Amino acid sequence: MNKLCQIAGLGICVPERVLSNHDLEQIMDTNEEWIVSRTGIHTRRILDASQGTSDVGFFAAQKAILDAGIDASEITHIFVATCTPDYLSPSVSCLIAARLGLSAYSGVSTISPTTKSLMCLDFNAACSGFVYGLEVARAFLALDSNAVVLLIAAEALSRRMNYNDRSTSVLFGDGAGAVVLRSKGDSFLTVHDVSCGTDGDLNELIQIGGGTNMNVVVGDTVKEDFFLNMQGRDVFKHAVRCMVQESLKLLSRNNLTIDDVDLFIPHQANARIIEAVGSRLEIPAEKVFTNVSEYGNTSAASILLALDDARKAGKVEAGKKTLITTFGAGLTWGSALLS
Ligand code: ACO
């Protein structure tokens, strides 16, 4: 059994502010019945104006470190999956490293052979960020069996919601999750296999503006292309296809079938996508975990928010097979097998 990458600790953080469907009715032409019947979403959590992605990411990281029973100084790599970073630069991982007290130069004026190494790296695989991050972590743990990886998936999607676009803006919320990954010591889950896919030809189906393709000068006002734009119906079709096919591929190469899966946690995009994926995989509804009703679609953080709730409900434990799968802008997608 491959025990290269083990989950030693897990933590999540969601903002306190709740945005309900009734709140949305006050700011756009929508209603509770439409949103719930189309998406299954009742509430989302929204960051205050003074908070950013690194805030929720930091608090999730603190909880994961506590859960793993390690000291933050043991961490060798911080990877942050996000498509809504605080800044284009510096990275969210550098901001969080500083708040964890891990800056190599704290009180030190020279780098010596004994100065601790710490690698901070952000990457953008949109909603697939956590699964992609597991594969990145596996590679780094294979390079160094003493590595201790803090993988954080954190998003502030509300910062890129166009609340004039009612078919998209009702879907998303903010939040973060984090895991401590290592190849030695106590753990509550092992990452057995990960498989990722990409189709850049379909990049226009979901885009978030604010990057360097926008030639903005001081004094300009932002326009619709600053926000998240999504072609919902096409995305739905590809999301279901990709999550189903990648999951079957992963199971097949591990000589497993869907009957061997004890718990299935798909990307918490919306209830209809989750139901369609579960039904095409022919997995019983009671094995499919969802909390999209409470948090909406939190992009890279969604699987971790669900994994944490599933763990608290006693549904995740070593020895039981948990299949996770995700899909997002890029297009990107991926599946992972945990037990
Ligand atoms: N409230 C009320 N009416 C609405 C709303 C709303 N919030 N939004 C759209 N409508 C109306 C439309 O105006 C339209 O009205 P019309 O027929 O009079 O023109 C009607 O509802 C149907 O609109 P559609 O956009 O075609 O609605 P659809 O049934 O396709 O549902 C939805 C939209 C829920 C977004 C669906 O396409 C979907 O689930 N897509 C997947 C998107 C997604 O979840 N992506 C995330 C995965 S990838 C990632 O995580 C980034």
Side-chain angles (χ1 to χ4, degrees), residues 30 34 38 127 166-167 230 232-233 235-236 267 270 297:
T30 190
W34 192 98
R38 296 298 213 291
C127 303
R166 62 181 182 168
S167 49
M230 180 168 66
R233 291 207 162 177
V235 167
F236 191 109
H267 172 42
N270 70 54
N297 181 346

Side-chain angles (χ1 to χ4, degrees), residues 238-318:
H238 292 296
V240 173
R241 176 180 59 84
C242 294
M243 286 194 276
V244 167
Q245 290 178 359
E246 202 67 35
S247 295
L248 291 175
K249 179 174 129 188
L250 186 75
L251 290 172
S252 165
R253 78 181 186 200
N254 284 278
N255 299 315
L256 297 169
T257 71
I258 200 71
D259 294 339
D260 296 309
V261 173
D262 296 297
L263 183 69
F264 179 51
I265 306 182
H267 172 42
Q268 304 293 298
N270 70 54
R272 281 189 171 179
I273 291 184
I274 292 169
E275 282 160 19
V277 172
S279 133
R280 286 193 202 179
L281 282 172
E282 296 182 11
I283 186 159
E286 60 272 17
K287 288 186 176 181
V288 182
F289 191 86
T290 174
N291 62 2
V292 72
S293 162
E294 193 177 352
Y295 298 125
N297 181 346
T298 56
S299 187
S302 93
I303 295 268
L304 280 168
L305 296 188
L307 188 65
D308 188 66
D309 272 352
R311 185 187 181 200
K312 284 175 180 150
K315 293 177 184 248
V316 175
E317 47 183 286

